[in-house]
Amino acid sequence: MAKQMPPEYYQCLEELQAIDFAIVELNLYLDTHPNDLDAIKQFNELAKKSMQLKVEFEKKFGPLMNFGRSYSNYPWDIDDTPWPWQV
């Protein structure tokens, strides 16, 4: 059974999901509108914010992904639950 996480965990995860959703949508838009400078700027800003939030999230709550896409604390915490897709 997964441990109960604090409300901040869910708030941070929801913010990350919203930003990453917008990044995917902008990526799809830019596939058909590659010269839209404003969309490219927005994509880059959101990508930077997503990376920053992921670093902050992992410092507070542990890894978001496994198999070398996130670092582990000591002791090994890659196998700690819950994983973001389990909440």
Side-chain angles (χ1 to χ4, degrees), residues 5-14 57 60-61:
M5 300 305 285
E8 183 186 11
Y9 175 90
Y10 300 100
Q11 292 165 348
C12 291
L13 193 57
E14 185 176 343
F57 182 94
K60 289 180 186 175
F61 304 112

Side-chain angles (χ1 to χ4, degrees), residues 26 29-30 33 36-44:
L26 281 165
Y29 172 81
L30 286 164
H33 300 80
D36 187 333
L37 181 58
D38 290 334
I40 293 170
K41 287 179 181 179
Q42 186 178 18
F43 177 90
N44 289 335

Side-chain angles (χ1 to χ4, degrees), residues 2-32:
K3 63 184 173 184
Q4 183 66 28
M5 300 305 285
E8 183 186 11
Y9 175 90
Y10 300 100
Q11 292 165 348
C12 291
L13 193 57
E14 185 176 343
E15 183 178 7
L16 266 173
Q17 290 170 334
I19 289 171
D20 285 351
F21 177 82
I23 290 169
V24 169
E25 292 296 309
L26 281 165
N27 187 85
L28 293 171
Y29 172 81
L30 286 164
D31 283 346
T32 58

